[in-house]
Amino acid sequence: MVRRSVYGLFLCLAAQVAVSLRVEALEPEQVFEKASPSVVTVEALNAAGNVVGFGSGVVIAPGEVITNCHVVEDGVKWLVKQGGHSWHDE
């Protein structure tokens, strides 16, 4: 009996919290505006400096970018670009 009443109380509290927290969905343009500064292009270069892989990446922390393995697997150097800026590993 105690278990049911605790469970019922929990459900009641959860419902009240859900109602009190109004979460509004963003429009697609707003999502793009928030996310686009984190999106970069990644180029993998061979020893001669030729592009051997290309794809997108996402900045996850200062100085850290995540991308797909196939983008970088054939490279020995990498170039990250965003807008008019570029960074390379050294």
Side-chain angles (χ1 to χ4, degrees):
M1 184 76 144
V2 173
R3 180 183 266 171
R4 283 187 197 161
S5 62
V6 170
Y7 182 70
L9 178 62
F10 174 75
L11 287 178
C12 182
L13 289 173
Q16 287 177 349
V17 169
V19 169
S20 66
L21 295 176
R22 293 192 145 208
V23 179
E24 297 191 24
L26 298 176
E27 294 296 321
E29 295 81 11
Q30 293 170 310
V31 173
F32 176 80
E33 185 177 316
K34 286 182 173 277
S36 63
S38 298
V39 178
V40 296
T41 58
V42 179
E43 293 180 355
L45 309 173
N46 64 14
N50 298 319
V51 177
V52 292
F54 179 83
S56 63
V58 177
V59 177
I60 58 170
E64 294 184 36
V65 172
I66 190 168
T67 189
N68 289 304
C69 290
H70 73 271
V71 173
V72 296
E73 67 188 350
D74 293 330
V76 295
K77 297 180 185 178
W78 297 272
L79 184 64
V80 176
K81 297 180 180 180
Q82 182 186 49
H85 303 283
S86 63
W87 303 266
H88 56 85
D89 68 320
E90 288 275 344

